[in-house]
Amino acid sequence: MHLAQLNIAKAKYSLESPEIKEFVDNLEPVNKLAESSSGFIWRLQDESGDATDITAFSDPDIIVNMSVWDSIEALKNFMFRTHHRDFLRRKKEWFHNIPDDSYVLWWVPKDHIPTVEEAVEKLEFLRNNGDTSYAFTFKSNFSASDFIASNA
């Protein structure tokens, strides 16, 4: 099985505004870094190469990021041990705090590419039920075996 992830952020500014320009200017390099990272499988993108114009929620200021990885470790390595972490550290400059869970992880079959609708459903499930093997956060790190066992 592979690990899918969705994370969302509520922009403080229009993506065309100078206050968020540094973030926007680094989308392509950070996306390329993800794609070249060990364990990367797939990421959500539109014709422009990113996902900032993909609407998944009624609030147009919420942007989405979705990807699939071969393991939790591969995703963590990209997020926390590459240049990506510098942008995580600065997210308060560009994005509002979201009081509910703003990301979700879940296991998918190796040949499955998740849809945005599937990802939103997983996030809503997590928000309503907390961490389970169906939808979880890094706090619990349910394994693929946990997911398979709970669905047997």
Side-chain angles (χ1 to χ4, degrees), residues 4-21:
Q5 72 82 27
L6 166 75
N7 68 80
I8 63 171
K10 182 174 172 66
K12 289 182 176 181
Y13 313 100
S14 158
L15 295 182
E16 293 78 33
S17 69
E19 293 88 352
I20 200 166
K21 182 178 182 349

Side-chain angles (χ1 to χ4, degrees), residues 109-128:
K110 286 188 176 184
D111 60 350
H112 179 72
I113 299 298
T115 65
V116 171
E117 294 78 18
E118 175 185 350
V120 169
E121 187 274 328
K122 294 288 186 176
L123 181 61
E124 289 173 358
F125 184 91
L126 174 69
R127 288 175 171 180
N128 291 326

Side-chain angles (χ1 to χ4, degrees), residues 79-151:
M79 289 181 65
F80 305 121
R81 293 185 184 96
T82 68
H83 183 50
H84 177 268
R85 77 173 175 262
D86 300 327
F87 292 93
L88 278 178
R89 289 179 180 144
R90 296 181 59 196
K91 68 182 180 181
K92 289 181 181 178
E93 293 177 39
W94 305 307
F95 301 103
H96 293 288
N97 180 49
I98 297 176
D100 297 316
D101 288 306
S102 61
Y103 77 95
V104 63
L105 309 171
W106 72 100
W107 294 104
V108 297
K110 286 188 176 184
D111 60 350
H112 179 72
I113 299 298
T115 65
V116 171
E117 294 78 18
E118 175 185 350
V120 169
E121 187 274 328
K122 294 288 186 176
L123 181 61
E124 289 173 358
F125 184 91
L126 174 69
R127 288 175 171 180
N128 291 326
N129 299 284
D131 285 70
T132 68
S133 61
Y134 181 77
F136 56 95
T137 65
F138 286 122
K139 291 176 246 166
S140 61
N141 282 349
F142 282 96
S143 70
S145 298
D146 295 329
F147 174 73
I148 292 167
S150 70
N151 289 290

Side-chain angles (χ1 to χ4, degrees), residues 56-71:
F57 297 87
S58 58
D59 185 339
D61 294 331
I62 293 181
I63 61 172
V64 299
N65 174 285
M66 243 174 82
S67 56
V68 176
W69 297 81
D70 70 5
S71 67

